[in-house]
Amino acid sequence: MKAGNTSTGGAKQMEVTAELKRDMFWHMLLSRRLDERAWVLHRQGKIAFHISGIGQEAAQVGAAFALRRGEDWVTPYYRDLALMLCLGYTPRDFVLSLMGKREEPNSGGRQMPSHWSLRSANAVSHSAPVATQAPHAAGIGLAIKMRKEDKVVLTTIGEGSTSQGEWYEAVNWAAIHALPVIFLVENNQYAISVPTDKQMAVKSAADKACGLGLDGRMVDGTDVFAVYAVMSEVVAKARSGGGPSLIEARMYRITPHSSDDDDRSYRTREEVEENKKRDPILVARTQLLESGVLSARELEEMESRAKAMVDDAVAYAEKAPYPAVEEAAYPVYVEEVRRA
Ligand SMILES: Cc1ncc(C[n+]2csc(CCOP(=O)(O)OP(=O)(O)O)c2C)c(N)n1
């Protein structure tokens, strides 16, 4: 993946080459095919739980590509599979974590799946209470500023969770101290069963920025290139001491909230079908095919490569060992403490 290696922050990132576009699309597609397989694994009874990022790939890939991988920091949220794949998380890592296997990088099989952590990408795992990743990002941003490092922090969240006190505290703190933090709200229009207009009185989560003293921007979260352009700008601004930004990328949650939710009880099939017309994979694929950046043959090759990687990840994870019972408390409690 080229994001971390080739992106430099600032104007250069705005030049989106054909290769970069194909690379972004590849990560979106891989994420989608993996995510779809997770649903199948759940229905086969092979995993206990899945929370999906289907429909949110454009926002996540556009954001990830604006970062320097391994230098910048990320405090993500549970739907960020595509974001994590861009930062170096592998399909094997994902399926291992779905199955709670020992080798998975989030927590060695202790965390819920999709509570991402990847040391090589400075990606920090979050807790299950929503919005707790936002104060972590503000804290990391403060450390970066105090150490005068050339880094930024990206933190993501669903729009419903921007109702939480922790989120306001984090944004307020980052704004006061002009910290290099990007608050990306992935507005998929539902918080479980609660639609956006029952969650906030403003039209967009980005409008909350004016009350807290930072820049707020809205972007079409189904258009990966639009998200990349906006993210590149605000990342460059944060890197050069211009302070935090609040971005709302709007899309639609195409799947139910999780594998344990029946969304037929609160939204119609017609609504879902209508919104699928702006499925970000469809939007990007159409753009790339029509502009000649991607040929039908290249697309087919990408599809078979993605399928092979997903098959490999499942076969690998199925054979991988679970953590041993004796290791359950480690590394939360180190040996010495447990013995004491
Ligand atoms: C503090 C807290 N309250 C409630 C929950 C239960 N919960 C988990 S996800 C979720 C919905 C969050 O919606 P949103 O922030 O819009 O993100 P989305 O899931 O739609 O991506 C809720 C209420 C929780 N995990 N933490």
Side-chain angles (χ1 to χ4, degrees):
M1 116 82 180
K2 304 286 184 330
N5 306 329
T6 56
S7 56
T8 53
K12 267 193 176 168
Q13 282 182 314
M14 302 297 284
E15 297 159 23
V16 188
T17 62
E19 193 198 345
L20 194 59
K21 285 184 179 178
R22 281 193 293 268
D23 201 15
M24 287 189 198
F25 180 68
W26 159 247
H27 284 86
M28 291 172 64
L29 189 71
L30 179 61
S31 181
R32 176 64 61 94
R33 298 300 172 242
L34 252 180
D35 203 316
E36 287 167 345
R37 186 67 65 87
W39 285 93
V40 174
L41 291 170
H42 182 267
R43 299 314 190 227
Q44 289 174 327
K46 292 185 174 178
I47 62 171
F49 180 75
H50 177 50
I51 192 148
S52 182
I54 287 183
Q56 299 184 209
E57 297 93 341
Q60 296 171 17
V61 171
F65 270 67
L67 298 177
R68 294 179 186 161
R69 182 176 70 179
E71 290 179 33
D72 294 329
W73 285 76
V74 187
T75 69
Y77 96 118
Y78 44 82
R79 297 204 194 273
D80 284 337
L81 173 60
L83 174 85
M84 291 304 298
L85 291 172
C86 293
L87 299 178
Y89 204 79
T90 69
R92 284 186 178 186
D93 291 338
F94 178 58
V95 185
L96 284 163
S97 83
L98 287 176
M99 295 185 175
K101 297 296 178 83
R102 182 189 196 180
E103 195 189 323
E104 67 89 12
N106 301 342
S107 64
R110 295 171 184 82
Q111 261 279 38
M112 281 182 80
S114 301
H115 285 54
W116 324 103
S117 171
L118 192 64
R119 197 179 279 262
S120 61
N122 292 335
V124 184
S125 189
H126 60 289
S127 304
V130 294
T132 48
Q133 69 275 23
H136 293 166
I140 295 168
L142 182 63
I144 290 172
K145 188 168 180 183
M146 289 170 74
R147 293 175 183 174
K148 300 187 172 38
E149 290 176 340
D150 181 20
K151 296 176 182 177
V152 303
V153 192
L154 168 70
T155 184
T156 61
I157 195 163
E159 81 293 345
S161 304
T162 67
S163 301
Q164 289 288 118
E166 283 92 339
W167 185 79
Y168 285 99
E169 291 170 28
V171 180
N172 185 47
W173 182 259
I176 292 169
H177 297 285
L179 303 180
V181 186
I182 317 302
F183 296 90
L184 174 64
V185 180
E186 297 180 32
N187 183 352
N188 62 20
Q189 304 186 42
Y190 282 92
I192 309 187
S193 57
V194 181
T196 310
D197 63 354
K198 294 277 183 298
Q199 195 68 244
M200 57 184 83
V202 283
K203 289 255 177 311
S204 156
D207 293 342
K208 299 184 182 189
C210 69
L212 295 163
L214 73 168
D215 283 346
R217 304 265 293 270
M218 245 190 105
V219 61
D220 178 355
T222 67
D223 180 343
V224 63
F225 308 119
V227 176
Y228 175 68
V230 169
M231 287 299 299
S232 298
E233 260 182 60
V234 297
V235 164
K237 183 180 154 205
R239 220 184 271 297
S240 60
S245 297
L246 169 56
I247 308 297
E248 180 192 276
R250 188 166 300 193
M251 72 291 281
Y252 187 79
R253 198 194 72 210
I254 291 172
T255 67
H257 171 72
S258 77
S259 54
D260 297 348
D261 164 49
D262 183 354
D263 64 336
R264 287 171 302 186
S265 62
Y266 55 84
R267 62 182 186 179
T268 64
R269 294 308 84 192
E270 291 72 30
E271 180 191 306
V272 177
E273 286 312 309
E274 183 56 32
N275 279 283
K276 279 188 185 169
K277 292 180 187 159
R278 287 295 296 174
D279 177 333
I281 302 284
L282 197 64
V283 171
R285 192 171 61 198
T286 309
Q287 268 189 29
L288 295 182
L289 288 174
E290 283 179 358
S291 60
V293 168
L294 193 68
S295 69
R297 196 177 53 81
E298 285 168 324
L299 179 62
E300 250 175 62
E301 279 168 11
M302 275 192 191
E303 287 283 10
S304 358
R305 189 150 53 102
K307 182 175 181 315
M309 288 178 83
V310 174
D311 287 345
D312 164 79
V314 173
Y316 183 86
E318 279 189 316
K319 285 199 218 93
Y322 288 104
V325 174
E326 309 79 63
E327 300 169 331
Y330 183 82
V332 177
Y333 300 104
V334 294
E335 249 347 274
E336 295 73 42
V337 175
R338 276 198 288 152
R339 270 204 302 269

